[in-house]
Amino acid sequence: LYPPHLQTLSLVGMPSTDDWVSRPLTVIHGLYAAQTADHPFNPTAFFEERLRLDWLSVPSLNDVPPHSLPPQSLVRFRAMLQDMMDPEYYLDTYEVQDAQGNRAVFSGRYQDNVQLAEGATILPDAENSKYAERQCVYAVPIPAEMPWVKEISSQTVPVTRAHLTTCNLT
């Protein structure tokens, strides 16, 4: 029932927290599978906490060539938004059925493609399949950015929403 990249993920287990940079989608699928009424699915809180503690462990596309990074890894990118595309619709959650009739529900957030185990099919009209809307943007490196800005930003932790709130800037 599980696609190859999730074969090692149990429905109640969590991937290693060390995977949050190299395999963020696996962590997100683990968070989704482990959700309960007391602990709802909230990947934003999980990643905000990790970033607060270890921001510099996430490679920056401003400093590292993209071909040197593993596919689907988490990256930072200091950029300028150049364009906003029309909203796109996607399966926020989707139900999958394998050849034996077993069903499971997965999150479709933060990904464009879904990998399915052999013989499995998505049930787009199932009760657990929910559609959502997301906004896509086109980001470009900041034009004419000075080298000293790049150096400082690669060594520092960004101002967070919590900092802005305490200064009454939000």
Side-chain angles (χ1 to χ4, degrees):
L1 184 60
Y2 291 92
H5 70 288
L6 295 178
Q7 298 259 332
T8 59
L9 178 66
S10 85
L11 282 176
V12 294
M14 262 300 294
S16 165
T17 55
D18 296 335
D19 293 339
W20 72 278
V21 174
S22 62
R23 297 176 41 212
L25 289 177
T26 303
V27 172
I28 289 169
H29 286 294
L31 292 169
Y32 186 79
Q35 73 179 324
T36 64
D38 295 333
H39 294 59
F41 179 56
N42 188 356
T44 303
F46 175 87
F47 284 96
E48 280 180 348
E49 178 65 16
R50 296 305 182 284
L51 289 168
R52 187 181 65 73
L53 298 173
D54 200 8
W55 169 261
L56 295 176
S57 71
V58 179
S60 171
L61 290 177
N62 303 98
D63 304 325
V64 179
H67 66 271
S68 68
L69 300 168
Q72 299 181 340
S73 60
L74 184 65
V75 296
R76 295 180 288 137
F77 184 44
R78 191 180 57 266
M80 178 178 77
L81 296 185
Q82 184 172 348
D83 198 4
M84 292 179 64
M85 314 303 177
D86 290 332
E88 77 177 15
Y89 300 94
Y90 70 102
L91 276 171
D92 185 39
T93 59
Y94 59 95
E95 194 165 337
V96 175
Q97 182 173 329
D98 66 11
Q100 290 76 33
N102 300 316
R103 290 184 175 202
V105 180
F106 297 99
S107 172
R109 291 185 193 177
Y110 316 111
Q111 57 190 348
D112 291 327
N113 300 313
V114 175
Q115 291 182 340
L116 297 175
E118 193 169 327
T121 57
I122 294 177
L123 305 172
D125 297 323
E127 183 179 332
N128 291 316
S129 294
K130 307 280 188 242
Y131 290 88
E133 178 181 300
R134 60 183 164 206
Q135 184 68 55
C136 297
V137 297
Y138 184 75
V140 297
I142 299 171
E145 185 175 45
M146 299 302 292
W148 64 268
V149 174
K150 292 180 182 181
E151 184 179 331
I152 289 172
S153 64
S154 70
Q155 299 171 4
T156 58
V157 177
V159 174
T160 64
R161 183 176 300 277
H163 291 119
L164 295 175
T165 303
T166 54
C167 297
N168 295 321
L169 298 176
T170 56

